[in-house]
Amino acid sequence: MNPRINKVIPNEDYTLILHFTNGEVKKYDVRPLLDKGVFSQLKDLAVFRQAHVSLGTVEWPGEIDICPDTLYEDGFKIN
């Protein structure tokens, strides 16, 4: 099992800075998802900025979330 998220910082460019429980920090680009299903709601930057940690992953209003394994495996390490 991959580590889980304990802190998220949403950026104006639709990327997330993710702090994982193993101490790693990664950047994840949400832009490729913005035209897919429920993720289109995140095009509204005010909604995107409401990203928060819930149960070890990132969640937005309306129970929109991304699998924590996807965030870990597809994120780009920045530390």
Side-chain angles (χ1 to χ4, degrees):
M1 183 167 90
N2 290 318
R4 297 302 182 227
I5 296 151
N6 57 24
K7 181 179 178 182
V8 60
I9 302 168
N11 296 309
E12 301 290 314
D13 64 353
Y14 297 98
T15 61
L16 302 169
I17 302 298
L18 305 165
H19 294 253
F20 289 87
T21 54
N22 66 353
E24 288 183 74
V25 179
K26 294 189 175 192
K27 188 175 196 176
Y28 182 84
D29 188 353
V30 181
R31 288 175 293 192
L33 301 176
L34 295 178
D35 288 323
K36 297 180 181 179
V38 297
F39 295 107
S40 64
Q41 296 174 51
L42 303 180
K43 287 180 183 178
D44 180 340
L45 198 52
V47 175
F48 182 77
R49 281 192 230 129
Q50 293 180 50
H52 61 277
V53 176
S54 177
L55 302 174
T57 194
V58 177
E59 185 176 277
W60 289 270
E63 298 182 6
I64 300 168
D65 64 4
I66 300 174
C67 174
D69 292 327
T70 297
L71 295 170
Y72 185 78
E73 292 171 11
D74 295 345
F76 296 95
K77 194 170 180 179
I78 59 175
N79 80 334

